[in-house]
Structure formats: C-alpha cells, structure tokens
Amino acid sequence: MDLKHSGDTIPDGQDAVIVAASVHMGKHENFVLDFARKNRAELERLPSALISVSLAAHGDEHNAEGYVAEFEEQSGWHPAHVGIFPGALLYTQYNFLKGQLMKKIVRDKGSTDLDTSRDYVYTEWDGVKRFTEDFLAGLAEPSSQDRA
Ligand SMILES: Cc1cc2nc3c(=O)[nH]c(=O)nc-3n(C[C@H](O)[C@H](O)[C@H](O)COP(=O)(O)O)c2cc1C
C-alpha cells in the first residue's frame, strides 16, 4: 500500500511487512515515521523489514546509514532486516526550483550528474530483488522456536 495516500494502520491478516521509505531533505518522510511509530508493536510482532532509499546510498553509505539510525531512534522501531538502496535523480519530473535545488545538492557532493534534461537512476534493482527474496525465504524457514 502507498502510505502517503492510504490508511496508517497495517491491515489485518498480514504475514509480514516491508516498509519502504525515501529520504527527502535529510530525513525519511514524516508519514512513514508516523506509520512506524504508530504500528511499532505490530511491526515487532510480525516479521518485518525496512527499505531505505536515498541518494546518499550512492557513494555516501555512512550518511545513508545515519538516516536509518535516526529513523530507528525517532520511531522506536528497530527492524531486524534493513536494506539501503540508492534512489534516482528524476530531473525531468521536478519543477524548475526543485531541479535547481537538487542540482546544487548534487554539485556540492562533487557529482557530475548535473544534466537536468535527463534522469539518473542509481537503484540496483537486482539488489532490491535479492533483498526481498532473502526476506521471503526467511519467512518460509521454521523459526528456532518451531524447531524446538
Ligand atoms: C526534494 C528532494 C530532497 C532530497 N533530499 C535528499 C537528502 O537529503 N539526502 C539523500 O540522500 N537523498 C535525498 N534525495 C534523494 C531521494 O532520496 C531520491 O531521489 C529518491 O529516489 C526519492 O524517491 P521518491 O521520489 O520515491 O520519494 C532528495 C530528493 C528530493 C526530490
């Protein structure tokens, strides 16, 4: 479900939850933070994972991990599985101001991806697929409690 436009609770009957959030202006979106805060108990009860998307994940991993640490601290949810993936610079979809803002941020980082007439997609989709498949495979395995 799209957390921005749907309810803020986990629908009944879910086997597991993957929460995906992107970083804007130094933090994950507030509506995802609110969702994690509100549903913390359920997220801890169910097998759950966090996917964090940012530009920092493309070459500035320390910062990308910092965003996740802050999210965990502010939400109180400490997911057992965390995937950190690079997002995209979608210059062609930004309005003029947003495009110039993003270009400045990118230039300040020392990147040369400054051509606002095109997009730059850094996401390693194979990595996203592998993360999801590994998470799902973990659900299929009997837990240590089941084996005991
Ligand atoms: C207005 C804006 C601000 C952003 N701020 C950051 C930032 O502070 N740090 C970062 O690593 N990435 C930042 N990004 C990059 C986004 O995380 C990346 O573009 C991501 O793919 C956005 O996904 P979404 O469009 O699904 O929200 C920003 C992107 C936008 C458009």
Side-chain angles (χ1 to χ4, degrees), residues 40-84:
R40 195 177 95 185
E42 190 68 351
L43 288 169
E44 279 167 3
R45 190 183 67 77
L46 290 167
S48 61
L50 172 70
I51 288 183
S52 168
V53 177
S54 64
L55 281 187
H58 178 69
D60 189 3
E61 286 76 9
H62 181 72
N63 255 336
E65 286 167 13
Y67 294 140
V68 171
E70 195 179 318
F71 180 84
E72 289 192 22
E73 194 184 312
Q74 292 184 352
S75 67
W77 174 42
H78 299 281
H81 307 272
V82 178
I84 297 181

Side-chain angles (χ1 to χ4, degrees), residues 29-118:
E29 297 104 330
N30 275 330
F31 57 86
V32 185
L33 185 62
D34 290 344
F35 175 87
R37 274 197 191 118
K38 184 169 179 206
N39 295 282
R40 195 177 95 185
E42 190 68 351
L43 288 169
E44 279 167 3
R45 190 183 67 77
L46 290 167
S48 61
L50 172 70
I51 288 183
S52 168
V53 177
S54 64
L55 281 187
H58 178 69
D60 189 3
E61 286 76 9
H62 181 72
N63 255 336
E65 286 167 13
Y67 294 140
V68 171
E70 195 179 318
F71 180 84
E72 289 192 22
E73 194 184 312
Q74 292 184 352
S75 67
W77 174 42
H78 299 281
H81 307 272
V82 178
I84 297 181
F85 296 103
L89 262 178
L90 303 179
Y91 284 125
T92 63
Q93 295 181 24
Y94 303 151
N95 63 29
F96 179 75
L97 272 180
K98 200 162 165 179
Q100 292 305 307
L101 172 73
M102 292 310 293
K103 191 172 168 178
K104 180 179 176 348
I105 291 173
V106 169
R107 185 188 281 124
D108 289 350
K109 293 267 176 209
S111 166
T112 53
D113 295 347
L114 304 170
D115 178 357
T116 54
S117 69
R118 54 157 288 189

